[in-house]
Amino acid sequence: MARDSDGRTGGTLARIAPQFRRRPDPATEGLAQGLGWFSLGLGAAEIVAGAAIARWLGKPELTPVIRAYGMREIVTGVGILGSKDATPWIWGRIGGDAVDIATVLPALEERNPQRGNAMIALMALAGATALDVVCARNLTQAPLTPPRRIRIDYGRRSGFPEPPKAMRGRAKDFKPPLDIVGPEAMRAWTAA
């Protein structure tokens, strides 16, 4: 936060100083938006079909966990789509991917008849994680730039068309109208 000369924040300097933030390239912004929509869709699917997904993995006891992960995905999707900077939300997706992978890994055990499905799920999670990592890295490394709508500081402008030295003496012969000078009783005494 910008500080004024008296050390306070939020004053004049905060109004005119630009708020720098990261501006990624349009492809990265598009990828982040796509991941946000993907999170919403995946979250809805995990909530609605959590039991079916758990059975497909051969782990029906994971139904409540998968539904909880669905809520996490929806919150992350809303965060990505609703924030000005999606970077922390994309990093949150990476953390969620790690938890998802740790949840699916036990389904690879030999006695699980749906082991092949668990392998498919892990491959899909690895692909989504790779996209999340690429997007998060690009968002984090994006250059810092001022806001798109620049606030202009007119503090150094005088309002005069020329520098003060060039204008000195220009109004020597100017005689103001009497109604601007004031009533005669209030005018300064002059030597006759």
Side-chain angles (χ1 to χ4, degrees):
M1 172 68 70
R3 293 191 181 274
D4 284 343
S5 59
D6 61 0
R8 292 183 298 162
T9 59
T12 306
L13 188 58
R15 287 192 303 272
I16 62 173
Q19 305 289 321
F20 285 87
R21 71 177 194 138
R22 299 202 180 277
R23 304 266 183 220
D25 60 288
T28 302
E29 282 185 347
L31 177 57
Q33 293 295 305
L35 289 171
W37 287 109
F38 176 72
S39 285
L40 289 177
L42 179 61
E46 287 177 334
I47 289 171
V48 171
I53 294 170
R55 282 192 311 273
W56 183 77
L57 288 171
K59 296 284 189 177
E61 66 273 10
L62 291 178
T63 299
V65 174
I66 291 173
R67 287 191 173 136
Y69 290 173
M71 289 301 297
R72 179 200 70 212
E73 287 289 343
I74 288 175
V75 168
T76 303
V78 169
I80 291 170
L81 295 173
S83 69
K84 291 180 180 177
D85 182 13
T87 308
W89 295 100
I90 298 293
W91 282 109
R93 272 190 55 82
I94 294 171
D97 292 341
V99 171
D100 292 346
I101 289 170
T103 303
V104 172
L105 278 175
L108 291 176
E109 61 192 10
E110 287 291 327
R111 62 180 189 262
N112 182 2
Q114 304 294 340
R115 184 171 186 234
N117 292 346
M119 186 60 87
I120 292 169
L122 276 176
M123 290 171 52
L125 282 167
T129 304
L131 282 175
D132 291 341
V133 168
V134 167
C135 185
R137 184 181 53 100
N138 289 348
L139 287 171
T140 303
Q141 293 175 352
L144 285 172
T145 58
R148 289 190 175 111
R149 191 176 66 180
I150 302 290
R151 297 179 191 126
I152 300 172
D153 177 15
Y154 290 106
R156 297 178 188 213
R157 304 242 347 233
S158 67
F160 297 113
E162 297 177 38
K165 286 183 181 179
M167 294 187 304
R168 282 208 170 80
R170 291 249 177 111
K172 279 188 214 175
D173 58 344
F174 176 72
K175 301 263 191 233
L178 291 178
D179 59 334
I180 291 179
V181 175
E184 178 124 10
M186 295 182 71
R187 291 191 201 141
W189 289 56
T190 57

